[in-house]
Every structure is written in C-alpha cells, then in structure tokens.
Amino acid sequence: MINRRGFMKLVGGGFTSFATLGGYALAVEPLGRLSIARYQMTPPGWTPGLKLRLVALADLHACEPWMSAERIVSICKRANSLRGDVTLLLGDYASGMNFVTRRVPASEWSTALSTLKAPLGVHAVMGNHDWWEDRTAQKNGGGDTFAHRALTRVGIEVHSNRAIRLEKDGFSFWLAGLEDQLALRPGKIWKRRRMIGLDDLGGTLAQVTDKAPVILLAHEPDIFPDVPSRVSLTLSGHTHGGQVRLAGYSPVVPSRFGDRYAYGHIVEHDRNLIVSGGLGCSIAPIRFGVPPEIVVVDLG
C-alpha cells in the first residue's frame, strides 16, 4: 500500500514529467528543431533518365516569437543547402494563431522567402490562412490576396489553378498548382453558408498538353482521392502532421479524412501523395512528435 510520502512523490514526479513534456512541446520542438524529411521514389509513368530533386516548405505561419522573419531566413538558407532543382512553397504564410507577440507583415516574410534559390525557380501556392486573414479577398470572393501580391513582388511564381512546363537535362515535366480548397469562409458578414474552395483540378490539368510527368501542389491533401493517375506526385501541407503525433498516429487532424492523410508518404491505387509536417504552428503553438521540417523528394 502506498503511503502519503510515496503518493506525494508520485504526484510530484507526474507533475514534473507533465511540465517537462509541456515545455518541450511549447518551446523546444516548435522553436529549437528543424528536421529534413527525405523521400525517394520513381512514380509509375515517370520519364526514364529524369532525375529531379524537389525541396518543399509548408505552413510557415509567420509570427513572433514562433516564426520570425529571421528564423524564416535561416530555414531558407538550410533549404538552399539541400540543392533542389526546384523549390516549392505549399501555402499558409500568414499567422493563423492568436498566441503571438507580433504578427509578421507580408512584406517581411516575403522578403525572407526571396532568399530561396533553385535552378528551376521557386514556386508557390496559397493556403487557407492566406485567404482567411485577407478580409478584402473574403469580401470580394476571389482575386489576389495580400500573400499572392507579396510573393509575386519578390519574384516568386504563384500558381493559382495553373500548370507550367519545365525542363531539366533535356527532359520535361509539368508543375501544376491549385488554388486553395477552403479559401472562402462562411458567415453572415460574407453571406456564405459554407466553406467555398477556389480550386479547379480539371481546369488546371487541362493545361497539360503532352505526356510529360505532372507534379501537383495542393495545400490541403483532401483533394487526393480526386487526383487522376496522370499525376505522378501530389505535394501537400496544411495538416502539420496533426502537430501532435504519437506512435505514428495524429489524434486531431484538420481533414475530413482524419488521420488518413495526416503525414508522410501515402500510396493509393499507384498514386503518390506526400504530406509535409510543415514548419510553423496553427491555432496553438504546440508541436510534439512532429518537429518542423523541410521536405526533400528525389524523383527518378
């Protein structure tokens, strides 16, 4: 039978462990770690001889103290050192969180992102928070957000339901980017009863005019069941890996599919999806079991 002294030791030890884990989830993993998630594959139908390295960054959520402009610059330097042929930005540059000491303006985070370099360029899509934090874009029900304009101003190509053909070593491939699937929020102020996406998968893929492989950028992974096998690889962010991931499972995921597309490399019916765990935090500044990451994909 446990005595009072033993009980107090147990309670004290439990409190200390809880405080330690809480401190790690609040301060160490979100701020002090940066991992590299590496994937290597040759998707079905990939062009023989085409070797391509993708470096992808997702979900920065620029704000202080969690994701300052200085930290974004340091992440970009690390991304550049990975020597990607093309660098991809998967959306959610705006904060999306109230637990901040300062919101980093678009002019600052876009200038930080302008330090990214790649032989085939830096290419971006928007995320839901880039739309949600722009009241004018919400009112207009479309158009460019401040994030679109900020990235374009620093020379980063933004893909809004657009596909372009790129070439490496004489081999071509297509890069297609969808507009956000949760762009327009419901509410009386906007006179909308439900969330409205501005993505156009069919129209985007209709711009592909030959048989070269297609890489699709889609902020939310929920589009994946509708992506045809014509697409070699879909890259997404949005989920943050659930921000808390235990034994390969994320209990809370912002997806109608739950944990199905929470994180990592998913293969369904010979189609490939990679979901980044992202870099910043949304809603709450907590990460546990899914540290901030840069994604590197070697194709071919």
Side-chain angles (χ1 to χ4, degrees), residues 140-178:
N140 293 339
D144 287 344
T145 67
F146 62 77
H148 286 86
R149 294 189 294 273
L151 290 172
T152 301
R153 190 162 49 242
V154 297
I156 294 173
E157 283 205 63
V158 179
H159 298 263
S160 178
N161 298 322
R162 184 169 71 106
I164 63 169
R165 190 173 181 271
L166 298 173
E167 190 172 294
K168 184 199 174 188
D169 298 333
F171 299 102
S172 62
F173 67 95
W174 290 85
L175 188 65
L178 294 184

PDB file of all heavy atoms in Angstrom, residues 140-178:
ATOM      1  N   ASN A 140     -14.536  40.090 -51.528  1.00  0.00           N
ATOM      2  CA  ASN A 140     -14.629  40.023 -52.989  1.00  0.00           C
ATOM      3  C   ASN A 140     -14.931  38.614 -53.496  1.00  0.00           C
ATOM      4  O   ASN A 140     -15.341  38.443 -54.653  1.00  0.00           O
ATOM      5  CB  ASN A 140     -13.329  40.515 -53.629  1.00  0.00           C
ATOM      6  CG  ASN A 140     -13.092  41.995 -53.388  1.00  0.00           C
ATOM      7  OD1 ASN A 140     -14.027  42.742 -53.096  1.00  0.00           O
ATOM      8  ND2 ASN A 140     -11.839  42.417 -53.496  1.00  0.00           N
ATOM      9  N   GLY A 141     -14.690  37.636 -52.657  1.00  0.00           N
ATOM     10  CA  GLY A 141     -14.945  36.258 -53.074  1.00  0.00           C
ATOM     11  C   GLY A 141     -13.959  35.743 -54.099  1.00  0.00           C
ATOM     12  O   GLY A 141     -14.252  34.839 -54.875  1.00  0.00           O
ATOM     13  N   GLY A 142     -12.747  36.295 -54.106  1.00  0.00           N
ATOM     14  CA  GLY A 142     -11.732  35.860 -55.065  1.00  0.00           C
ATOM     15  C   GLY A 142     -10.729  36.955 -55.325  1.00  0.00           C
ATOM     16  O   GLY A 142     -10.616  37.918 -54.563  1.00  0.00           O
ATOM     17  N   GLY A 143     -10.000  36.809 -56.416  1.00  0.00           N
ATOM     18  CA  GLY A 143      -8.947  37.766 -56.732  1.00  0.00           C
ATOM     19  C   GLY A 143      -7.655  37.392 -56.045  1.00  0.00           C
ATOM     20  O   GLY A 143      -7.510  36.292 -55.509  1.00  0.00           O
ATOM     21  N   ASP A 144      -6.718  38.319 -56.016  1.00  0.00           N
ATOM     22  CA  ASP A 144      -5.436  38.080 -55.357  1.00  0.00           C
ATOM     23  C   ASP A 144      -5.512  38.487 -53.893  1.00  0.00           C
ATOM     24  O   ASP A 144      -6.098  39.524 -53.552  1.00  0.00           O
ATOM     25  CB  ASP A 144      -4.317  38.885 -56.031  1.00  0.00           C
ATOM     26  CG  ASP A 144      -3.931  38.318 -57.388  1.00  0.00           C
ATOM     27  OD1 ASP A 144      -4.299  37.162 -57.664  1.00  0.00           O
ATOM     28  OD2 ASP A 144      -3.280  39.027 -58.171  1.00  0.00           O
ATOM     29  N   THR A 145      -4.907  37.687 -53.032  1.00  0.00           N
ATOM     30  CA  THR A 145      -4.768  38.063 -51.628  1.00  0.00           C
ATOM     31  C   THR A 145      -3.476  38.861 -51.444  1.00  0.00           C
ATOM     32  O   THR A 145      -2.654  38.960 -52.357  1.00  0.00           O
ATOM     33  CB  THR A 145      -4.708  36.817 -50.735  1.00  0.00           C
ATOM     34  OG1 THR A 145      -3.489  36.111 -51.027  1.00  0.00           O
ATOM     35  CG2 THR A 145      -5.895  35.905 -50.972  1.00  0.00           C
ATOM     36  N   PHE A 146      -3.285  39.396 -50.240  1.00  0.00           N
ATOM     37  CA  PHE A 146      -2.026  40.094 -49.969  1.00  0.00           C
ATOM     38  C   PHE A 146      -0.847  39.142 -50.089  1.00  0.00           C
ATOM     39  O   PHE A 146       0.264  39.547 -50.425  1.00  0.00           O
ATOM     40  CB  PHE A 146      -2.045  40.770 -48.592  1.00  0.00           C
ATOM     41  CG  PHE A 146      -2.209  39.842 -47.420  1.00  0.00           C
ATOM     42  CD1 PHE A 146      -1.156  39.078 -46.953  1.00  0.00           C
ATOM     43  CD2 PHE A 146      -3.430  39.735 -46.763  1.00  0.00           C
ATOM     44  CE1 PHE A 146      -1.299  38.228 -45.868  1.00  0.00           C
ATOM     45  CE2 PHE A 146      -3.594  38.887 -45.682  1.00  0.00           C
ATOM     46  CZ  PHE A 146      -2.519  38.127 -45.239  1.00  0.00           C
ATOM     47  N   ALA A 147      -1.070  37.849 -49.829  1.00  0.00           N
ATOM     48  CA  ALA A 147       0.006  36.866 -49.951  1.00  0.00           C
ATOM     49  C   ALA A 147       0.387  36.630 -51.408  1.00  0.00           C
ATOM     50  O   ALA A 147       1.570  36.516 -51.740  1.00  0.00           O
ATOM     51  CB  ALA A 147      -0.411  35.556 -49.293  1.00  0.00           C
ATOM     52  N   HIS A 148      -0.615  36.555 -52.290  1.00  0.00           N
ATOM     53  CA  HIS A 148      -0.315  36.467 -53.728  1.00  0.00           C
ATOM     54  C   HIS A 148       0.590  37.628 -54.139  1.00  0.00           C
ATOM     55  O   HIS A 148       1.620  37.433 -54.794  1.00  0.00           O
ATOM     56  CB  HIS A 148      -1.597  36.573 -54.562  1.00  0.00           C
ATOM     57  CG  HIS A 148      -2.487  35.381 -54.576  1.00  0.00           C
ATOM     58  ND1 HIS A 148      -3.439  35.170 -53.617  1.00  0.00           N
ATOM     59  CD2 HIS A 148      -2.596  34.343 -55.438  1.00  0.00           C
ATOM     60  CE1 HIS A 148      -4.120  34.063 -53.890  1.00  0.00           C
ATOM     61  NE2 HIS A 148      -3.617  33.530 -54.989  1.00  0.00           N
ATOM     62  N   ARG A 149       0.179  38.828 -53.775  1.00  0.00           N
ATOM     63  CA  ARG A 149       0.908  40.025 -54.211  1.00  0.00           C
ATOM     64  C   ARG A 149       2.305  40.087 -53.602  1.00  0.00           C
ATOM     65  O   ARG A 149       3.265  40.481 -54.270  1.00  0.00           O
ATOM     66  CB  ARG A 149       0.103  41.276 -53.861  1.00  0.00           C
ATOM     67  CG  ARG A 149      -1.218  41.394 -54.622  1.00  0.00           C
ATOM     68  CD  ARG A 149      -1.866  42.747 -54.415  1.00  0.00           C
ATOM     69  NE  ARG A 149      -2.283  42.958 -53.036  1.00  0.00           N
ATOM     70  CZ  ARG A 149      -3.454  42.593 -52.534  1.00  0.00           C
ATOM     71  NH1 ARG A 149      -4.344  41.972 -53.304  1.00  0.00           N
ATOM     72  NH2 ARG A 149      -3.773  42.839 -51.278  1.00  0.00           N
ATOM     73  N   ALA A 150       2.423  39.706 -52.338  1.00  0.00           N
ATOM     74  CA  ALA A 150       3.719  39.777 -51.663  1.00  0.00           C
ATOM     75  C   ALA A 150       4.727  38.835 -52.311  1.00  0.00           C
ATOM     76  O   ALA A 150       5.893  39.204 -52.533  1.00  0.00           O
ATOM     77  CB  ALA A 150       3.560  39.440 -50.179  1.00  0.00           C
ATOM     78  N   LEU A 151       4.306  37.621 -52.627  1.00  0.00           N
ATOM     79  CA  LEU A 151       5.216  36.651 -53.242  1.00  0.00           C
ATOM     80  C   LEU A 151       5.582  37.067 -54.661  1.00  0.00           C
ATOM     81  O   LEU A 151       6.734  36.968 -55.077  1.00  0.00           O
ATOM     82  CB  LEU A 151       4.585  35.262 -53.237  1.00  0.00           C
ATOM     83  CG  LEU A 151       4.463  34.600 -51.865  1.00  0.00           C
ATOM     84  CD1 LEU A 151       3.639  33.323 -51.950  1.00  0.00           C
ATOM     85  CD2 LEU A 151       5.835  34.297 -51.271  1.00  0.00           C
ATOM     86  N   THR A 152       4.596  37.524 -55.410  1.00  0.00           N
ATOM     87  CA  THR A 152       4.865  37.965 -56.791  1.00  0.00           C
ATOM     88  C   THR A 152       5.837  39.126 -56.801  1.00  0.00           C
ATOM     89  O   THR A 152       6.731  39.214 -57.658  1.00  0.00           O
ATOM     90  CB  THR A 152       3.547  38.355 -57.485  1.00  0.00           C
ATOM     91  OG1 THR A 152       2.666  37.218 -57.496  1.00  0.00           O
ATOM     92  CG2 THR A 152       3.797  38.809 -58.908  1.00  0.00           C
ATOM     93  N   ARG A 153       5.689  40.014 -55.821  1.00  0.00           N
ATOM     94  CA  ARG A 153       6.536  41.209 -55.756  1.00  0.00           C
ATOM     95  C   ARG A 153       8.013  40.852 -55.565  1.00  0.00           C
ATOM     96  O   ARG A 153       8.895  41.573 -56.041  1.00  0.00           O
ATOM     97  CB  ARG A 153       6.053  42.098 -54.611  1.00  0.00           C
ATOM     98  CG  ARG A 153       6.687  43.488 -54.585  1.00  0.00           C
ATOM     99  CD  ARG A 153       5.882  44.453 -53.729  1.00  0.00           C
ATOM    100  NE  ARG A 153       5.548  43.891 -52.420  1.00  0.00           N
ATOM    101  CZ  ARG A 153       4.300  43.681 -52.000  1.00  0.00           C
ATOM    102  NH1 ARG A 153       3.271  43.940 -52.796  1.00  0.00           N
ATOM    103  NH2 ARG A 153       4.073  43.200 -50.799  1.00  0.00           N
ATOM    104  N   VAL A 154       8.299  39.734 -54.910  1.00  0.00           N
ATOM    105  CA  VAL A 154       9.699  39.353 -54.689  1.00  0.00           C
ATOM    106  C   VAL A 154      10.180  38.319 -55.710  1.00  0.00           C
ATOM    107  O   VAL A 154      11.231  37.711 -55.547  1.00  0.00           O
ATOM    108  CB  VAL A 154       9.926  38.834 -53.251  1.00  0.00           C
ATOM    109  CG1 VAL A 154       9.631  39.933 -52.238  1.00  0.00           C
ATOM    110  CG2 VAL A 154       9.111  37.577 -52.968  1.00  0.00           C
ATOM    111  N   GLY A 155       9.389  38.092 -56.765  1.00  0.00           N
ATOM    112  CA  GLY A 155       9.843  37.249 -57.851  1.00  0.00           C
ATOM    113  C   GLY A 155       9.542  35.770 -57.715  1.00  0.00           C
ATOM    114  O   GLY A 155      10.091  34.947 -58.459  1.00  0.00           O
ATOM    115  N   ILE A 156       8.657  35.400 -56.780  1.00  0.00           N
ATOM    116  CA  ILE A 156       8.271  34.002 -56.619  1.00  0.00           C
ATOM    117  C   ILE A 156       7.006  33.745 -57.432  1.00  0.00           C
ATOM    118  O   ILE A 156       6.025  34.478 -57.315  1.00  0.00           O
ATOM    119  CB  ILE A 156       8.051  33.662 -55.131  1.00  0.00           C
ATOM    120  CG1 ILE A 156       9.381  33.755 -54.370  1.00  0.00           C
ATOM    121  CG2 ILE A 156       7.433  32.274 -54.970  1.00  0.00           C
ATOM    122  CD1 ILE A 156       9.257  33.592 -52.875  1.00  0.00           C
ATOM    123  N   GLU A 157       7.034  32.708 -58.264  1.00  0.00           N
ATOM    124  CA  GLU A 157       5.882  32.385 -59.100  1.00  0.00           C
ATOM    125  C   GLU A 157       4.767  31.787 -58.255  1.00  0.00           C
ATOM    126  O   GLU A 157       4.989  30.821 -57.513  1.00  0.00           O
ATOM    127  CB  GLU A 157       6.276  31.403 -60.199  1.00  0.00           C
ATOM    128  CG  GLU A 157       7.022  32.040 -61.353  1.00  0.00           C
ATOM    129  CD  GLU A 157       6.859  31.227 -62.633  1.00  0.00           C
ATOM    130  OE1 GLU A 157       5.717  31.096 -63.117  1.00  0.00           O
ATOM    131  OE2 GLU A 157       7.881  30.740 -63.127  1.00  0.00           O
ATOM    132  N   VAL A 158       3.583  32.341 -58.395  1.00  0.00           N
ATOM    133  CA  VAL A 158       2.423  31.843 -57.666  1.00  0.00           C
ATOM    134  C   VAL A 158       1.502  31.142 -58.655  1.00  0.00           C
ATOM    135  O   VAL A 158       1.164  31.684 -59.702  1.00  0.00           O
ATOM    136  CB  VAL A 158       1.674  32.989 -56.958  1.00  0.00           C
ATOM    137  CG1 VAL A 158       0.453  32.453 -56.231  1.00  0.00           C
ATOM    138  CG2 VAL A 158       2.599  33.709 -55.982  1.00  0.00           C
ATOM    139  N   HIS A 159       1.100  29.928 -58.297  1.00  0.00           N
ATOM    140  CA  HIS A 159       0.254  29.126 -59.175  1.00  0.00           C
ATOM    141  C   HIS A 159      -1.158  29.062 -58.603  1.00  0.00           C
ATOM    142  O   HIS A 159      -1.369  28.498 -57.531  1.00  0.00           O
ATOM    143  CB  HIS A 159       0.836  27.730 -59.331  1.00  0.00           C
ATOM    144  CG  HIS A 159       2.192  27.720 -59.964  1.00  0.00           C
ATOM    145  ND1 HIS A 159       2.392  27.490 -61.307  1.00  0.00           N
ATOM    146  CD2 HIS A 159       3.420  27.964 -59.447  1.00  0.00           C
ATOM    147  CE1 HIS A 159       3.688  27.564 -61.589  1.00  0.00           C
ATOM    148  NE2 HIS A 159       4.334  27.860 -60.468  1.00  0.00           N
ATOM    149  N   SER A 160      -2.089  29.657 -59.311  1.00  0.00           N
ATOM    150  CA  SER A 160      -3.492  29.656 -58.915  1.00  0.00           C
ATOM    151  C   SER A 160      -4.271  28.945 -60.012  1.00  0.00           C
ATOM    152  O   SER A 160      -4.680  29.552 -60.996  1.00  0.00           O
ATOM    153  CB  SER A 160      -3.989  31.091 -58.728  1.00  0.00           C
ATOM    154  OG  SER A 160      -5.354  31.115 -58.394  1.00  0.00           O
ATOM    155  N   ASN A 161      -4.396  27.622 -59.859  1.00  0.00           N
ATOM    156  CA  ASN A 161      -5.001  26.784 -60.900  1.00  0.00           C
ATOM    157  C   ASN A 161      -4.255  26.955 -62.218  1.00  0.00           C
ATOM    158  O   ASN A 161      -4.842  27.206 -63.273  1.00  0.00           O
ATOM    159  CB  ASN A 161      -6.491  27.121 -61.071  1.00  0.00           C
ATOM    160  CG  ASN A 161      -7.290  26.862 -59.820  1.00  0.00           C
ATOM    161  OD1 ASN A 161      -7.049  25.881 -59.113  1.00  0.00           O
ATOM    162  ND2 ASN A 161      -8.237  27.727 -59.526  1.00  0.00           N
ATOM    163  N   ARG A 162      -2.951  26.779 -62.130  1.00  0.00           N
ATOM    164  CA  ARG A 162      -2.102  27.000 -63.302  1.00  0.00           C
ATOM    165  C   ARG A 162      -1.039  25.903 -63.386  1.00  0.00           C
ATOM    166  O   ARG A 162      -0.477  25.482 -62.373  1.00  0.00           O
ATOM    167  CB  ARG A 162      -1.415  28.365 -63.193  1.00  0.00           C
ATOM    168  CG  ARG A 162      -0.581  28.761 -64.406  1.00  0.00           C
ATOM    169  CD  ARG A 162      -0.181  30.219 -64.292  1.00  0.00           C
ATOM    170  NE  ARG A 162       0.820  30.425 -63.256  1.00  0.00           N
ATOM    171  CZ  ARG A 162       2.112  30.681 -63.510  1.00  0.00           C
ATOM    172  NH1 ARG A 162       2.542  30.744 -64.750  1.00  0.00           N
ATOM    173  NH2 ARG A 162       2.953  30.882 -62.528  1.00  0.00           N
ATOM    174  N   ALA A 163      -0.775  25.457 -64.610  1.00  0.00           N
ATOM    175  CA  ALA A 163       0.264  24.465 -64.859  1.00  0.00           C
ATOM    176  C   ALA A 163       1.288  25.044 -65.822  1.00  0.00           C
ATOM    177  O   ALA A 163       0.932  25.723 -66.792  1.00  0.00           O
ATOM    178  CB  ALA A 163      -0.340  23.189 -65.448  1.00  0.00           C
ATOM    179  N   ILE A 164       2.566  24.790 -65.538  1.00  0.00           N
ATOM    180  CA  ILE A 164       3.628  25.234 -66.425  1.00  0.00           C
ATOM    181  C   ILE A 164       4.559  24.064 -66.732  1.00  0.00           C
ATOM    182  O   ILE A 164       4.690  23.132 -65.949  1.00  0.00           O
ATOM    183  CB  ILE A 164       4.434  26.410 -65.839  1.00  0.00           C
ATOM    184  CG1 ILE A 164       5.147  25.986 -64.542  1.00  0.00           C
ATOM    185  CG2 ILE A 164       3.549  27.621 -65.600  1.00  0.00           C
ATOM    186  CD1 ILE A 164       6.162  27.006 -64.065  1.00  0.00           C
ATOM    187  N   ARG A 165       5.202  24.138 -67.876  1.00  0.00           N
ATOM    188  CA  ARG A 165       6.116  23.090 -68.316  1.00  0.00           C
ATOM    189  C   ARG A 165       7.551  23.530 -68.039  1.00  0.00           C
ATOM    190  O   ARG A 165       7.964  24.619 -68.438  1.00  0.00           O
ATOM    191  CB  ARG A 165       5.919  22.847 -69.818  1.00  0.00           C
ATOM    192  CG  ARG A 165       6.626  21.633 -70.400  1.00  0.00           C
ATOM    193  CD  ARG A 165       6.169  21.470 -71.849  1.00  0.00           C
ATOM    194  NE  ARG A 165       6.771  20.315 -72.490  1.00  0.00           N
ATOM    195  CZ  ARG A 165       7.924  20.337 -73.141  1.00  0.00           C
ATOM    196  NH1 ARG A 165       8.629  21.461 -73.207  1.00  0.00           N
ATOM    197  NH2 ARG A 165       8.397  19.240 -73.717  1.00  0.00           N
ATOM    198  N   LEU A 166       8.296  22.679 -67.339  1.00  0.00           N
ATOM    199  CA  LEU A 166       9.682  22.954 -67.017  1.00  0.00           C
ATOM    200  C   LEU A 166      10.559  21.864 -67.633  1.00  0.00           C
ATOM    201  O   LEU A 166      10.067  20.799 -68.029  1.00  0.00           O
ATOM    202  CB  LEU A 166       9.883  23.005 -65.497  1.00  0.00           C
ATOM    203  CG  LEU A 166       9.113  24.100 -64.747  1.00  0.00           C
ATOM    204  CD1 LEU A 166       9.264  23.920 -63.242  1.00  0.00           C
ATOM    205  CD2 LEU A 166       9.572  25.486 -65.167  1.00  0.00           C
ATOM    206  N   GLU A 167      11.840  22.119 -67.683  1.00  0.00           N
ATOM    207  CA  GLU A 167      12.744  21.168 -68.318  1.00  0.00           C
ATOM    208  C   GLU A 167      14.053  21.061 -67.549  1.00  0.00           C
ATOM    209  O   GLU A 167      14.588  22.057 -67.069  1.00  0.00           O
ATOM    210  CB  GLU A 167      13.025  21.616 -69.753  1.00  0.00           C
ATOM    211  CG  GLU A 167      13.758  20.584 -70.596  1.00  0.00           C
ATOM    212  CD  GLU A 167      13.846  20.987 -72.053  1.00  0.00           C
ATOM    213  OE1 GLU A 167      12.791  21.062 -72.721  1.00  0.00           O
ATOM    214  OE2 GLU A 167      14.979  21.247 -72.517  1.00  0.00           O
ATOM    215  N   LYS A 168      14.553  19.833 -67.434  1.00  0.00           N
ATOM    216  CA  LYS A 168      15.853  19.593 -66.825  1.00  0.00           C
ATOM    217  C   LYS A 168      16.604  18.539 -67.649  1.00  0.00           C
ATOM    218  O   LYS A 168      16.065  17.455 -67.916  1.00  0.00           O
ATOM    219  CB  LYS A 168      15.718  19.103 -65.383  1.00  0.00           C
ATOM    220  CG  LYS A 168      17.083  18.949 -64.703  1.00  0.00           C
ATOM    221  CD  LYS A 168      17.046  18.063 -63.498  1.00  0.00           C
ATOM    222  CE  LYS A 168      18.481  17.846 -62.987  1.00  0.00           C
ATOM    223  NZ  LYS A 168      18.527  16.836 -61.922  1.00  0.00           N
ATOM    224  N   ASP A 169      17.826  18.862 -68.040  1.00  0.00           N
ATOM    225  CA  ASP A 169      18.690  17.938 -68.800  1.00  0.00           C
ATOM    226  C   ASP A 169      17.996  17.390 -70.039  1.00  0.00           C
ATOM    227  O   ASP A 169      18.155  16.216 -70.401  1.00  0.00           O
ATOM    228  CB  ASP A 169      19.138  16.770 -67.912  1.00  0.00           C
ATOM    229  CG  ASP A 169      19.967  17.226 -66.713  1.00  0.00           C
ATOM    230  OD1 ASP A 169      20.620  18.283 -66.820  1.00  0.00           O
ATOM    231  OD2 ASP A 169      19.940  16.530 -65.679  1.00  0.00           O
ATOM    232  N   GLY A 170      17.198  18.221 -70.681  1.00  0.00           N
ATOM    233  CA  GLY A 170      16.515  17.807 -71.895  1.00  0.00           C
ATOM    234  C   GLY A 170      15.220  17.054 -71.673  1.00  0.00           C
ATOM    235  O   GLY A 170      14.537  16.686 -72.637  1.00  0.00           O
ATOM    236  N   PHE A 171      14.851  16.801 -70.423  1.00  0.00           N
ATOM    237  CA  PHE A 171      13.600  16.108 -70.090  1.00  0.00           C
ATOM    238  C   PHE A 171      12.602  17.124 -69.529  1.00  0.00           C
ATOM    239  O   PHE A 171      12.958  17.957 -68.694  1.00  0.00           O
ATOM    240  CB  PHE A 171      13.839  15.014 -69.047  1.00  0.00           C
ATOM    241  CG  PHE A 171      14.779  13.934 -69.486  1.00  0.00           C
ATOM    242  CD1 PHE A 171      16.091  13.922 -69.031  1.00  0.00           C
ATOM    243  CD2 PHE A 171      14.359  12.929 -70.349  1.00  0.00           C
ATOM    244  CE1 PHE A 171      16.973  12.916 -69.420  1.00  0.00           C
ATOM    245  CE2 PHE A 171      15.223  11.920 -70.746  1.00  0.00           C
ATOM    246  CZ  PHE A 171      16.531  11.912 -70.286  1.00  0.00           C
ATOM    247  N   SER A 172      11.373  17.030 -69.950  1.00  0.00           N
ATOM    248  CA  SER A 172      10.364  17.976 -69.485  1.00  0.00           C
ATOM    249  C   SER A 172       9.460  17.347 -68.419  1.00  0.00           C
ATOM    250  O   SER A 172       9.327  16.127 -68.325  1.00  0.00           O
ATOM    251  CB  SER A 172       9.504  18.467 -70.659  1.00  0.00           C
ATOM    252  OG  SER A 172       8.817  17.386 -71.257  1.00  0.00           O
ATOM    253  N   PHE A 173       8.865  18.208 -67.610  1.00  0.00           N
ATOM    254  CA  PHE A 173       7.838  17.813 -66.646  1.00  0.00           C
ATOM    255  C   PHE A 173       6.936  19.008 -66.408  1.00  0.00           C
ATOM    256  O   PHE A 173       7.277  20.142 -66.751  1.00  0.00           O
ATOM    257  CB  PHE A 173       8.458  17.316 -65.332  1.00  0.00           C
ATOM    258  CG  PHE A 173       9.181  18.379 -64.543  1.00  0.00           C
ATOM    259  CD1 PHE A 173       8.552  19.069 -63.516  1.00  0.00           C
ATOM    260  CD2 PHE A 173      10.506  18.697 -64.829  1.00  0.00           C
ATOM    261  CE1 PHE A 173       9.217  20.046 -62.786  1.00  0.00           C
ATOM    262  CE2 PHE A 173      11.178  19.670 -64.102  1.00  0.00           C
ATOM    263  CZ  PHE A 173      10.537  20.350 -63.083  1.00  0.00           C
ATOM    264  N   TRP A 174       5.784  18.750 -65.819  1.00  0.00           N
ATOM    265  CA  TRP A 174       4.812  19.804 -65.553  1.00  0.00           C
ATOM    266  C   TRP A 174       4.706  20.054 -64.055  1.00  0.00           C
ATOM    267  O   TRP A 174       4.727  19.113 -63.260  1.00  0.00           O
ATOM    268  CB  TRP A 174       3.438  19.421 -66.097  1.00  0.00           C
ATOM    269  CG  TRP A 174       3.379  19.424 -67.591  1.00  0.00           C
ATOM    270  CD1 TRP A 174       3.738  18.411 -68.427  1.00  0.00           C
ATOM    271  CD2 TRP A 174       2.939  20.501 -68.416  1.00  0.00           C
ATOM    272  NE1 TRP A 174       3.557  18.784 -69.734  1.00  0.00           N
ATOM    273  CE2 TRP A 174       3.067  20.056 -69.764  1.00  0.00           C
ATOM    274  CE3 TRP A 174       2.452  21.781 -68.175  1.00  0.00           C
ATOM    275  CZ2 TRP A 174       2.720  20.860 -70.844  1.00  0.00           C
ATOM    276  CZ3 TRP A 174       2.108  22.587 -69.253  1.00  0.00           C
ATOM    277  CH2 TRP A 174       2.240  22.131 -70.568  1.00  0.00           C
ATOM    278  N   LEU A 175       4.581  21.316 -63.719  1.00  0.00           N
ATOM    279  CA  LEU A 175       4.330  21.723 -62.339  1.00  0.00           C
ATOM    280  C   LEU A 175       2.976  22.410 -62.319  1.00  0.00           C
ATOM    281  O   LEU A 175       2.770  23.424 -63.000  1.00  0.00           O
ATOM    282  CB  LEU A 175       5.428  22.665 -61.850  1.00  0.00           C
ATOM    283  CG  LEU A 175       5.411  23.023 -60.367  1.00  0.00           C
ATOM    284  CD1 LEU A 175       5.670  21.778 -59.521  1.00  0.00           C
ATOM    285  CD2 LEU A 175       6.465  24.088 -60.072  1.00  0.00           C
ATOM    286  N   ALA A 176       2.037  21.844 -61.565  1.00  0.00           N
ATOM    287  CA  ALA A 176       0.677  22.370 -61.514  1.00  0.00           C
ATOM    288  C   ALA A 176       0.338  22.755 -60.084  1.00  0.00           C
ATOM    289  O   ALA A 176       0.634  22.009 -59.143  1.00  0.00           O
ATOM    290  CB  ALA A 176      -0.315  21.324 -62.028  1.00  0.00           C
ATOM    291  N   GLY A 177      -0.281  23.919 -59.904  1.00  0.00           N
ATOM    292  CA  GLY A 177      -0.633  24.383 -58.564  1.00  0.00           C
ATOM    293  C   GLY A 177      -2.099  24.749 -58.466  1.00  0.00           C
ATOM    294  O   GLY A 177      -2.628  25.495 -59.307  1.00  0.00           O
ATOM    295  N   LEU A 178      -2.776  24.226 -57.441  1.00  0.00           N
ATOM    296  CA  LEU A 178      -4.190  24.516 -57.233  1.00  0.00           C
ATOM    297  C   LEU A 178      -4.373  25.714 -56.308  1.00  0.00           C
ATOM    298  O   LEU A 178      -3.606  25.908 -55.364  1.00  0.00           O
ATOM    299  CB  LEU A 178      -4.896  23.317 -56.601  1.00  0.00           C
ATOM    300  CG  LEU A 178      -5.004  22.031 -57.424  1.00  0.00           C
ATOM    301  CD1 LEU A 178      -5.819  21.008 -56.647  1.00  0.00           C
ATOM    302  CD2 LEU A 178      -5.619  22.297 -58.782  1.00  0.00           C
TER     303      LEU A 178
END
